[in-house]
Amino acid sequence: MSLLNTPQGNQPRWRSWLLTDTPTSRNHARVASLYQGWLSFRGNSMAMFGLIILVLLVLIAIFAPLIAPHDPFVQDLANRLKPLATDGHMLGTDSLGRDILSRLIYGARITLYIVILVALIAPVAGLFVGTVAGYVGGWVDTILMRITDIFLAFPRLVLALAFVAALGAGIENAVIAISLTAWPPYARIARAETLTIRNSDYISAVKLQGAGPFRIITRHIWPLCISSLIVRVTLDMAGIILAAAGLGFLGLGAQPPSPEWGAMISEGRKFILDYWWVATLPGLAIFLVSLAFNLLGDGLRDVLDPKDDGS
């Protein structure tokens, strides 16, 4: 009889296999843990709302050429500053007659590009610095943490502005600047996690088996830090999006005619009193995506927090 169709009690056999308290192998335990975490996450309606918004953002970015009604770069001065619900322009047009809806859709690509790059750079750098500092200790810990303190002493946006001014305007330089300002909190979290487990019995057992510091850090400490970093990354995405939009607003991020949401707000502020939608709509897009990341982060924190007893 098929595994998927064989009932056990009141539920399919595959579900009983995933919800078992006695896994038969390490892979079985991992899959069961992931499934139970998904069930817990799915029970959080606000977190699911955030996940749905982000999935839609990804789909919009992927299929932007098929979804966008117009070319986001084509100017039509005869149709400049058209209001909402104009024929052919659902969300109106900007000061150069470009379709705002199309520019918002293509702007989702830039937002995801920034988010993905920063999420690949900052947490990895912070994880490496934090675990090395926490495991080695001594003067290495002191030097690395004092460098971290220096970065934390400056407001993130101010420090990002300084780095962009030194590197030059552009979206890639903006990503580098945001990453350079975003890694210190991850280093702090990784160091704190490392300090709590570096003297544990199983680390001592691994040392007795001949494992060196590099193997201990990468194979036994990093996996225990990942869940905390995932939650922090998700919660930080809103700040990263706002920082990127701030740099774009100041003309230091994505350069014209790129349809970056912060740059669109900067352009629309000149007409905010008479043509409010030009600046308001990209602002609402930033708000919605930032809110979605915050809701998703809250849901992941509830699922991944090892100290949560379910109460």
Side-chain angles (χ1 to χ4, degrees):
M1 190 173 291
S2 172
L3 175 66
L4 296 179
N5 297 326
T6 302
Q8 182 174 339
N10 295 323
Q11 57 189 3
R13 185 175 175 183
W14 65 267
R15 185 176 173 86
S16 299
W17 184 78
L18 290 172
L19 295 176
T20 182
D21 294 328
T22 56
T24 57
S25 66
R26 181 178 298 179
N27 290 333
H28 183 188
R30 289 174 178 171
V31 174
S33 177
L34 288 174
Y35 182 70
Q36 292 171 17
W38 163 250
L39 292 179
S40 176
F41 180 85
R42 193 176 64 181
N44 188 331
S45 58
M46 298 305 295
M48 285 299 296
F49 173 76
L51 178 63
I52 291 171
I53 295 298
L54 295 179
V55 170
L56 289 176
L57 179 71
V58 172
L59 293 177
I60 288 172
I62 293 174
F63 299 105
L66 302 177
I67 299 174
H70 300 279
D71 189 321
F73 302 104
V74 171
Q75 302 178 13
D76 184 5
L77 297 180
N79 287 319
R80 63 189 301 269
L81 298 174
K82 292 294 183 180
L84 302 177
T86 299
D87 186 26
H89 301 284
M90 183 184 301
L91 298 183
T93 60
D94 64 9
S95 60
L96 296 176
R98 296 171 297 193
D99 183 64
I100 292 178
L101 175 59
S102 300
R103 291 181 64 79
L104 288 176
I105 290 173
Y106 274 86
R109 288 186 162 187
I110 299 176
T111 299
L112 284 180
Y113 177 73
I114 294 172
V115 165
I116 292 173
L117 287 183
V118 174
L120 290 175
I121 297 173
V124 174
L127 178 64
F128 179 79
V129 171
T131 51
V132 169
Y135 183 78
V136 177
W139 63 269
V140 174
D141 182 26
T142 301
I143 292 176
L144 291 178
M145 287 302 100
R146 295 301 75 79
I147 294 174
T148 303
D149 291 338
I150 292 173
F151 278 86
L152 289 172
F154 293 92
R156 178 178 293 185
L157 184 57
V158 174
L159 193 58
L161 287 172
F163 281 125
V164 172
L167 296 172
I171 188 169
E172 287 78 15
N173 290 339
V175 168
I176 295 174
I178 295 172
S179 299
L180 288 173
T181 63
W183 68 266
Y186 305 115
R188 282 291 187 183
I189 293 174
R191 177 179 179 271
E193 296 277 359
T194 303
L195 289 175
T196 61
I197 61 179
R198 69 176 181 178
N199 295 323
S200 59
D201 292 340
Y202 84 92
I203 293 294
S204 300
V206 172
K207 289 181 181 178
L208 291 175
Q209 293 176 358
F214 180 78
R215 180 178 178 84
I216 292 174
I217 290 175
T218 57
R219 298 292 298 274
H220 301 283
I221 294 180
W222 280 7
L224 297 178
C225 300
I226 293 299
S227 60
S228 298
L229 289 183
I230 289 175
V231 174
R232 181 64 193 240
V233 168
T234 309
L235 292 173
D236 274 357
M237 285 301 104
I240 290 170
I241 292 172
L242 291 175
L247 293 176
F249 181 85
L250 296 173
L252 298 175
Q255 298 299 295
S258 179
E260 197 272 326
W261 293 343
M264 292 174 65
I265 295 176
S266 178
E267 178 191 356
R269 64 189 168 91
K270 307 170 187 175
F271 317 99
I272 190 67
L273 296 179
D274 297 318
Y275 308 99
W276 56 268
W277 59 90
V278 180
T280 302
L281 293 176
L284 288 176
I286 294 172
F287 165 77
L288 186 60
V289 175
S290 300
L291 177 63
F293 271 113
N294 281 330
L295 295 176
L296 179 63
D298 286 337
L300 289 177
R301 181 179 56 194
D302 294 339
V303 172
L304 298 176
D305 187 2
K307 303 178 184 64
D308 185 15
D309 57 2
S311 58

